[in-house]
Short mmCIF file of all heavy atoms in Angstrom, two decimals:
data_model
loop_
_atom_site.label_atom_id
_atom_site.label_comp_id
_atom_site.label_asym_id
_atom_site.label_seq_id
_atom_site.Cartn_x
_atom_site.Cartn_y
_atom_site.Cartn_z
N ILE A 1 -8.34 3.05 -8.01
CA ILE A 1 -6.90 3.23 -8.22
C ILE A 1 -6.16 1.95 -7.85
O ILE A 1 -6.40 1.34 -6.81
CB ILE A 1 -6.36 4.40 -7.37
CG1 ILE A 1 -7.06 5.70 -7.75
CG2 ILE A 1 -4.84 4.53 -7.52
CD1 ILE A 1 -6.68 6.88 -6.87
N LEU A 2 -5.22 1.54 -8.72
CA LEU A 2 -4.31 0.43 -8.43
C LEU A 2 -2.92 1.01 -8.23
O LEU A 2 -2.45 1.83 -9.03
CB LEU A 2 -4.28 -0.57 -9.59
CG LEU A 2 -3.27 -1.72 -9.43
CD1 LEU A 2 -3.69 -2.66 -8.30
CD2 LEU A 2 -3.11 -2.50 -10.74
N ILE A 3 -2.24 0.58 -7.17
CA ILE A 3 -0.88 1.00 -6.89
C ILE A 3 0.04 -0.20 -6.99
O ILE A 3 -0.08 -1.15 -6.20
CB ILE A 3 -0.76 1.64 -5.49
CG1 ILE A 3 -1.71 2.85 -5.38
CG2 ILE A 3 0.68 2.06 -5.21
CD1 ILE A 3 -1.82 3.41 -3.98
N THR A 4 0.93 -0.20 -7.97
CA THR A 4 1.88 -1.30 -8.10
C THR A 4 3.05 -1.06 -7.14
O THR A 4 3.43 0.08 -6.87
CB THR A 4 2.42 -1.44 -9.53
OG1 THR A 4 3.27 -0.32 -9.83
CG2 THR A 4 1.28 -1.49 -10.53
N GLY A 5 3.62 -2.15 -6.62
CA GLY A 5 4.60 -2.01 -5.56
C GLY A 5 3.95 -1.46 -4.31
O GLY A 5 4.56 -0.76 -3.51
N GLY A 6 2.67 -1.83 -4.14
CA GLY A 6 1.83 -1.21 -3.13
C GLY A 6 2.12 -1.58 -1.70
O GLY A 6 1.57 -0.98 -0.78
N CYS A 7 2.99 -2.58 -1.46
CA CYS A 7 3.39 -2.91 -0.09
C CYS A 7 4.83 -2.47 0.19
O CYS A 7 5.41 -2.81 1.22
CB CYS A 7 3.24 -4.40 0.17
SG CYS A 7 1.54 -4.97 0.13
N GLY A 8 5.39 -1.73 -0.74
CA GLY A 8 6.69 -1.12 -0.50
C GLY A 8 6.52 0.17 0.28
O GLY A 8 5.41 0.59 0.61
N PHE A 9 7.63 0.81 0.58
CA PHE A 9 7.61 2.05 1.36
C PHE A 9 6.75 3.13 0.71
O PHE A 9 5.82 3.66 1.32
CB PHE A 9 9.06 2.54 1.53
CG PHE A 9 9.20 4.01 1.80
CD1 PHE A 9 8.60 4.60 2.90
CD2 PHE A 9 9.95 4.80 0.93
CE1 PHE A 9 8.73 5.96 3.15
CE2 PHE A 9 10.09 6.16 1.17
CZ PHE A 9 9.48 6.74 2.28
N VAL A 10 7.03 3.44 -0.56
CA VAL A 10 6.29 4.50 -1.25
C VAL A 10 4.85 4.07 -1.49
O VAL A 10 3.91 4.81 -1.22
CB VAL A 10 7.00 4.87 -2.57
CG1 VAL A 10 6.14 5.84 -3.38
CG2 VAL A 10 8.36 5.49 -2.30
N GLY A 11 4.67 2.86 -2.01
CA GLY A 11 3.33 2.39 -2.36
C GLY A 11 2.39 2.33 -1.17
O GLY A 11 1.22 2.72 -1.27
N THR A 12 2.87 1.84 -0.04
CA THR A 12 2.02 1.73 1.15
C THR A 12 1.59 3.11 1.64
O THR A 12 0.42 3.33 1.98
CB THR A 12 2.75 0.98 2.27
OG1 THR A 12 3.14 -0.31 1.81
CG2 THR A 12 1.85 0.82 3.50
N ASN A 13 2.54 4.03 1.70
CA ASN A 13 2.20 5.39 2.13
C ASN A 13 1.18 6.03 1.22
O ASN A 13 0.23 6.68 1.69
CB ASN A 13 3.47 6.24 2.21
CG ASN A 13 4.19 6.13 3.53
OD1 ASN A 13 3.78 6.71 4.53
ND2 ASN A 13 5.28 5.38 3.55
N ILE A 14 1.35 5.85 -0.09
CA ILE A 14 0.39 6.42 -1.04
C ILE A 14 -0.98 5.78 -0.86
O ILE A 14 -2.02 6.47 -0.86
CB ILE A 14 0.89 6.24 -2.48
CG1 ILE A 14 2.16 7.05 -2.73
CG2 ILE A 14 -0.20 6.67 -3.49
CD1 ILE A 14 2.83 6.76 -4.06
N ALA A 15 -1.00 4.47 -0.71
CA ALA A 15 -2.28 3.75 -0.56
C ALA A 15 -3.04 4.23 0.67
O ALA A 15 -4.25 4.49 0.61
CB ALA A 15 -2.02 2.25 -0.47
N LEU A 16 -2.34 4.34 1.80
CA LEU A 16 -2.99 4.78 3.04
C LEU A 16 -3.45 6.24 2.93
O LEU A 16 -4.53 6.60 3.40
CB LEU A 16 -2.03 4.62 4.21
CG LEU A 16 -1.68 3.17 4.58
CD1 LEU A 16 -0.57 3.13 5.63
CD2 LEU A 16 -2.91 2.41 5.09
N PHE A 17 -2.65 7.06 2.29
CA PHE A 17 -2.99 8.47 2.12
C PHE A 17 -4.26 8.62 1.27
O PHE A 17 -5.18 9.35 1.63
CB PHE A 17 -1.82 9.21 1.47
CG PHE A 17 -2.00 10.69 1.35
CD1 PHE A 17 -1.56 11.54 2.34
CD2 PHE A 17 -2.61 11.25 0.24
CE1 PHE A 17 -1.72 12.92 2.23
CE2 PHE A 17 -2.79 12.62 0.12
CZ PHE A 17 -2.34 13.45 1.12
N LEU A 18 -4.31 7.92 0.13
CA LEU A 18 -5.45 8.04 -0.76
C LEU A 18 -6.70 7.38 -0.18
O LEU A 18 -7.83 7.83 -0.41
CB LEU A 18 -5.12 7.43 -2.13
CG LEU A 18 -4.03 8.17 -2.92
CD1 LEU A 18 -3.76 7.45 -4.24
CD2 LEU A 18 -4.41 9.63 -3.17
N TYR A 19 -6.50 6.32 0.59
CA TYR A 19 -7.62 5.70 1.31
C TYR A 19 -8.27 6.72 2.25
O TYR A 19 -9.50 6.82 2.32
CB TYR A 19 -7.12 4.49 2.09
CG TYR A 19 -8.12 3.91 3.06
CD1 TYR A 19 -9.08 2.98 2.65
CD2 TYR A 19 -8.11 4.30 4.41
CE1 TYR A 19 -10.00 2.46 3.54
CE2 TYR A 19 -9.02 3.78 5.30
CZ TYR A 19 -9.96 2.86 4.87
OH TYR A 19 -10.88 2.35 5.77
N ASN A 20 -7.43 7.48 2.94
CA ASN A 20 -7.95 8.50 3.85
C ASN A 20 -8.62 9.65 3.11
O ASN A 20 -9.39 10.41 3.71
CB ASN A 20 -6.83 9.02 4.76
CG ASN A 20 -6.38 8.00 5.78
OD1 ASN A 20 -7.17 7.15 6.21
ND2 ASN A 20 -5.12 8.04 6.17
N LYS A 21 -8.32 9.78 1.82
CA LYS A 21 -8.98 10.80 0.98
C LYS A 21 -10.22 10.24 0.29
O LYS A 21 -10.78 10.85 -0.62
CB LYS A 21 -8.00 11.32 -0.07
CG LYS A 21 -6.80 12.06 0.49
CD LYS A 21 -7.20 13.38 1.14
CE LYS A 21 -5.98 14.17 1.60
NZ LYS A 21 -6.34 15.44 2.25
N LYS A 22 -10.63 9.03 0.71
CA LYS A 22 -11.87 8.39 0.26
C LYS A 22 -11.81 7.82 -1.16
O LYS A 22 -12.83 7.57 -1.78
CB LYS A 22 -13.06 9.36 0.35
CG LYS A 22 -13.23 10.03 1.71
CD LYS A 22 -13.35 9.01 2.84
CE LYS A 22 -13.51 9.70 4.20
NZ LYS A 22 -13.49 8.73 5.32
N TYR A 23 -10.59 7.59 -1.67
CA TYR A 23 -10.47 6.88 -2.94
C TYR A 23 -10.57 5.38 -2.70
O TYR A 23 -10.18 4.89 -1.62
CB TYR A 23 -9.13 7.19 -3.61
CG TYR A 23 -9.07 8.55 -4.26
CD1 TYR A 23 -8.37 9.59 -3.65
CD2 TYR A 23 -9.68 8.79 -5.48
CE1 TYR A 23 -8.30 10.84 -4.24
CE2 TYR A 23 -9.61 10.05 -6.08
CZ TYR A 23 -8.92 11.06 -5.45
OH TYR A 23 -8.85 12.29 -6.04
N LYS A 24 -11.04 4.66 -3.69
CA LYS A 24 -11.04 3.20 -3.63
C LYS A 24 -9.69 2.71 -4.14
O LYS A 24 -9.35 2.93 -5.31
CB LYS A 24 -12.17 2.60 -4.46
CG LYS A 24 -12.27 1.09 -4.33
CD LYS A 24 -13.44 0.52 -5.11
CE LYS A 24 -13.48 -1.01 -4.98
NZ LYS A 24 -14.61 -1.59 -5.74
N VAL A 25 -8.93 2.07 -3.27
CA VAL A 25 -7.55 1.72 -3.58
C VAL A 25 -7.32 0.22 -3.46
O VAL A 25 -7.75 -0.41 -2.49
CB VAL A 25 -6.57 2.47 -2.64
CG1 VAL A 25 -5.14 2.10 -2.95
CG2 VAL A 25 -6.77 3.97 -2.73
N ASN A 26 -6.63 -0.35 -4.46
CA ASN A 26 -6.08 -1.70 -4.38
C ASN A 26 -4.58 -1.60 -4.59
O ASN A 26 -4.09 -0.63 -5.18
CB ASN A 26 -6.67 -2.62 -5.45
CG ASN A 26 -8.11 -3.01 -5.19
OD1 ASN A 26 -8.78 -3.50 -6.10
ND2 ASN A 26 -8.63 -2.81 -3.99
N THR A 27 -3.86 -2.60 -4.12
CA THR A 27 -2.41 -2.63 -4.34
C THR A 27 -2.01 -3.94 -5.02
O THR A 27 -2.74 -4.93 -5.00
CB THR A 27 -1.63 -2.50 -3.01
OG1 THR A 27 -2.01 -3.58 -2.13
CG2 THR A 27 -1.92 -1.17 -2.34
N LEU A 28 -0.82 -3.90 -5.61
CA LEU A 28 -0.23 -5.07 -6.24
C LEU A 28 1.19 -5.20 -5.72
O LEU A 28 1.97 -4.25 -5.79
CB LEU A 28 -0.24 -4.91 -7.76
CG LEU A 28 0.36 -6.02 -8.63
CD1 LEU A 28 -0.32 -6.02 -10.00
CD2 LEU A 28 1.88 -5.86 -8.83
N ASP A 29 1.52 -6.34 -5.15
CA ASP A 29 2.87 -6.56 -4.61
C ASP A 29 3.09 -8.05 -4.42
O ASP A 29 2.20 -8.76 -3.95
CB ASP A 29 3.03 -5.84 -3.26
CG ASP A 29 4.48 -5.61 -2.90
OD1 ASP A 29 5.20 -6.59 -2.64
OD2 ASP A 29 4.90 -4.43 -2.89
N ASN A 30 4.27 -8.53 -4.81
CA ASN A 30 4.55 -9.97 -4.68
C ASN A 30 5.33 -10.32 -3.41
O ASN A 30 5.78 -11.46 -3.25
CB ASN A 30 5.30 -10.47 -5.92
CG ASN A 30 6.70 -9.89 -6.05
OD1 ASN A 30 7.11 -9.05 -5.25
ND2 ASN A 30 7.42 -10.30 -7.07
N PHE A 31 5.52 -9.36 -2.52
CA PHE A 31 6.19 -9.56 -1.22
C PHE A 31 7.64 -10.00 -1.38
O PHE A 31 8.17 -10.76 -0.56
CB PHE A 31 5.45 -10.58 -0.35
CG PHE A 31 4.00 -10.24 -0.10
CD1 PHE A 31 3.04 -11.25 -0.05
CD2 PHE A 31 3.59 -8.94 0.09
CE1 PHE A 31 1.71 -10.95 0.19
CE2 PHE A 31 2.27 -8.63 0.32
CZ PHE A 31 1.32 -9.63 0.38
N SER A 32 8.31 -9.54 -2.41
CA SER A 32 9.68 -9.98 -2.64
C SER A 32 10.69 -9.28 -1.74
O SER A 32 11.82 -9.72 -1.61
CB SER A 32 10.07 -9.75 -4.11
OG SER A 32 10.03 -8.37 -4.43
N ARG A 33 10.28 -8.18 -1.11
CA ARG A 33 11.21 -7.41 -0.29
C ARG A 33 10.93 -7.55 1.19
O ARG A 33 9.78 -7.72 1.60
CB ARG A 33 11.11 -5.92 -0.65
CG ARG A 33 11.61 -5.60 -2.03
CD ARG A 33 11.65 -4.12 -2.20
NE ARG A 33 12.02 -3.77 -3.56
CZ ARG A 33 12.15 -2.53 -3.98
NH1 ARG A 33 11.94 -1.54 -3.15
NH2 ARG A 33 12.48 -2.29 -5.22
N LYS A 34 11.99 -7.43 1.96
CA LYS A 34 11.82 -7.36 3.41
C LYS A 34 10.98 -6.13 3.75
O LYS A 34 11.16 -5.07 3.17
CB LYS A 34 13.18 -7.25 4.10
CG LYS A 34 13.94 -8.56 4.19
CD LYS A 34 15.18 -8.38 5.04
CE LYS A 34 15.88 -9.71 5.27
NZ LYS A 34 17.06 -9.57 6.14
N GLY A 35 10.08 -6.29 4.65
CA GLY A 35 9.25 -5.17 5.06
C GLY A 35 7.90 -5.13 4.39
O GLY A 35 6.97 -4.51 4.90
N SER A 36 7.75 -5.81 3.25
CA SER A 36 6.48 -5.76 2.53
C SER A 36 5.36 -6.43 3.32
O SER A 36 4.21 -5.97 3.29
CB SER A 36 6.61 -6.39 1.14
OG SER A 36 7.04 -7.73 1.22
N LEU A 37 5.67 -7.49 4.04
CA LEU A 37 4.64 -8.17 4.84
C LEU A 37 4.22 -7.30 6.03
O LEU A 37 3.05 -7.30 6.41
CB LEU A 37 5.15 -9.53 5.33
CG LEU A 37 5.26 -10.61 4.25
CD1 LEU A 37 5.91 -11.86 4.83
CD2 LEU A 37 3.89 -10.94 3.68
N TYR A 38 5.17 -6.55 6.58
CA TYR A 38 4.84 -5.62 7.66
C TYR A 38 3.86 -4.56 7.14
O TYR A 38 2.84 -4.27 7.77
CB TYR A 38 6.12 -4.95 8.18
CG TYR A 38 5.88 -3.90 9.25
CD1 TYR A 38 5.92 -4.23 10.60
CD2 TYR A 38 5.64 -2.57 8.90
CE1 TYR A 38 5.70 -3.27 11.58
CE2 TYR A 38 5.42 -1.61 9.87
CZ TYR A 38 5.45 -1.96 11.21
OH TYR A 38 5.23 -1.00 12.17
N ASN A 39 4.17 -3.99 5.98
CA ASN A 39 3.31 -2.97 5.39
C ASN A 39 1.96 -3.54 4.95
O ASN A 39 0.93 -2.87 5.05
CB ASN A 39 4.00 -2.31 4.21
CG ASN A 39 5.16 -1.42 4.65
OD1 ASN A 39 5.23 -1.00 5.79
ND2 ASN A 39 6.07 -1.15 3.73
N PHE A 40 1.97 -4.79 4.49
CA PHE A 40 0.74 -5.44 4.07
C PHE A 40 -0.27 -5.51 5.23
O PHE A 40 -1.48 -5.31 5.04
CB PHE A 40 1.05 -6.85 3.56
CG PHE A 40 -0.18 -7.70 3.34
CD1 PHE A 40 -1.10 -7.38 2.36
CD2 PHE A 40 -0.40 -8.82 4.13
CE1 PHE A 40 -2.23 -8.16 2.16
CE2 PHE A 40 -1.53 -9.60 3.94
CZ PHE A 40 -2.45 -9.27 2.95
N LYS A 41 0.24 -5.75 6.43
CA LYS A 41 -0.65 -5.82 7.59
C LYS A 41 -1.34 -4.48 7.84
O LYS A 41 -2.50 -4.43 8.24
CB LYS A 41 0.14 -6.25 8.82
CG LYS A 41 0.64 -7.68 8.77
CD LYS A 41 1.52 -8.02 9.97
CE LYS A 41 2.09 -9.43 9.86
NZ LYS A 41 3.01 -9.73 10.99
N LEU A 42 -0.62 -3.39 7.58
CA LEU A 42 -1.21 -2.06 7.74
C LEU A 42 -2.33 -1.83 6.73
O LEU A 42 -3.37 -1.25 7.06
CB LEU A 42 -0.13 -0.99 7.58
CG LEU A 42 1.05 -1.03 8.56
CD1 LEU A 42 2.03 0.09 8.23
CD2 LEU A 42 0.57 -0.91 10.00
N LEU A 43 -2.11 -2.29 5.51
CA LEU A 43 -3.13 -2.15 4.48
C LEU A 43 -4.34 -3.03 4.79
O LEU A 43 -5.49 -2.62 4.58
CB LEU A 43 -2.55 -2.53 3.11
CG LEU A 43 -1.38 -1.68 2.61
CD1 LEU A 43 -0.87 -2.22 1.29
CD2 LEU A 43 -1.79 -0.22 2.45
#
């Protein structure tokens, strides 16, 4: 699964949730928003 906007609020939560459900997850994000780097560290 690829999640676009994956370091945003919605995308990060979805990525972490699906990761915990054992899906193989990648994200796509250009870090244009404040907070995306914080969420990127979690991923």
Side-chain angles (χ1 to χ4, degrees):
I1 300 175
L2 176 68
I3 301 171
T4 69
C7 294
F9 156 59
V10 173
T12 302
N13 274 283
I14 295 171
L16 293 171
F17 185 92
L18 294 178
Y19 169 85
N20 290 330
K21 295 292 185 181
K22 308 304 180 185
Y23 284 104
K24 185 177 179 181
V25 179
N26 288 164
T27 59
L28 179 153
D29 200 292
N30 66 357
F31 304 143
S32 62
R33 292 188 185 181
K34 282 187 174 183
S36 59
L37 288 174
Y38 177 93
N39 289 339
F40 169 66
K41 292 175 184 177
L42 300 179
L43 298 177

